[in-house]
Amino acid sequence: MKNAIISAKGLCKSFAHNGGQVHILTGLDLDIYEGDFTVIMGASGSGKSTMLYALSGMDRATGGEVLYHGENIVKMREKKLAALRRTDFGFIFQQMHLVSNLSLFENITVPGYLNRTRSAADTDQRAEQLMEQMGIAKIRTQLPSQCSGGEQQRCAIARAVINEPKLLFADEPTGALNKKNTTEVLDLLTELNRSGQSILMVTHDARAACRASRIIYIEDGKVIGELTLPPYTVQEEKSRETQIGAWLAAMKW
Ligand SMILES: Nc1ncnc2c1ncn2[C@@H]1O[C@H](COP(=O)(O)OP(=O)(O)O)[C@@H](O)[C@H]1O
Ligand SMILES: [Mg+2]
């Protein structure tokens, strides 16, 4: 029996638009489980990013609940929510959003220094380990602009996990990468998941979805299907791709 790490109950999100309201999430119910590599798929504009931001408290839902450790983060005070995002959640995006005038090492360590639960020396040590794991230790002093997209995304992943988040959120993390860099980034995410990191990733790339232990398909802000898979292995990648492809076709993807 898996434990839910985060649960949406009747989640709603509307935006003010052209003097009216557009309703993107209209009562989403969803549990995300500890230890899973959960992938969200769905057509462009189906509300994937909106859902990810509402679940992670990056953007506030307009109705319903997001339960994290029994607490509804939709109603949480901003200061407490910001602290929670910093300590318990990690984020990666299609655009890496690295700080341009900081080195890779600094980009990774700064969120660690801001989190007072560990010493600066511990943060530095963890950053070194992560840079080794991500294959960017040799370029630690370079600025983001001096690095390839793949190197920047690997740095962004290290930054996202510096505080050992309970849940790593990713919105199209391979969307701006070429095939080789995509594989490298997916391998790192797979490795993190194998060592226990819970991941919730939005993607429109079936190859990226291949790494999932669970795929959720959404349409108009609602879950219309889901697929549970055994842990990913390279050996089974082809048959897995075929299985996911058939399932996606059934979802009219
Ligand atoms: N800030 C906003 N204001 C108005 N409409 C928005 C806003 N953000 C997203 N939307 C709309 O919500 C819908 C879902 O967007 P999004 O969640 O980004 O979709 P996806 O990530 O699945 O492509 C789209 O129709 C988009 O135009
Ligand atoms: Mg999106």
Side-chain angles (χ1 to χ4, degrees), residues 48-50 171-172 202:
K48 302 182 295 296
S49 297
T50 303
D171 192 2
E172 308 268 9
V202 164

Side-chain angles (χ1 to χ4, degrees), residues 15-17 22 24 43-50:
F15 295 104
H17 185 67
V22 279
I24 305 304
S44 178
S46 58
K48 302 182 295 296
S49 297
T50 303

Side-chain angles (χ1 to χ4, degrees), residues 112-170:
Y113 302 151
L114 291 174
N115 177 12
R116 308 258 169 194
T117 58
R118 71 165 82 223
S119 69
D122 280 354
T123 292
D124 288 353
Q125 198 186 359
R126 179 161 165 80
E128 294 292 352
Q129 280 166 6
L130 286 169
M131 286 187 305
E132 283 295 338
Q133 186 185 354
M134 308 284 154
I136 52 172
K138 289 202 175 69
I139 54 168
R140 62 203 299 285
T141 59
Q142 285 179 212
L143 295 174
S145 60
Q146 297 166 323
C147 302
S148 72
E151 288 164 346
Q152 289 183 45
Q153 193 58 296
R154 284 183 270 144
C155 175
I157 295 172
R159 175 184 61 179
V161 299
I162 187 76
N163 290 326
E164 298 176 89
K166 300 284 189 295
L167 183 54
L168 176 61
F169 292 93

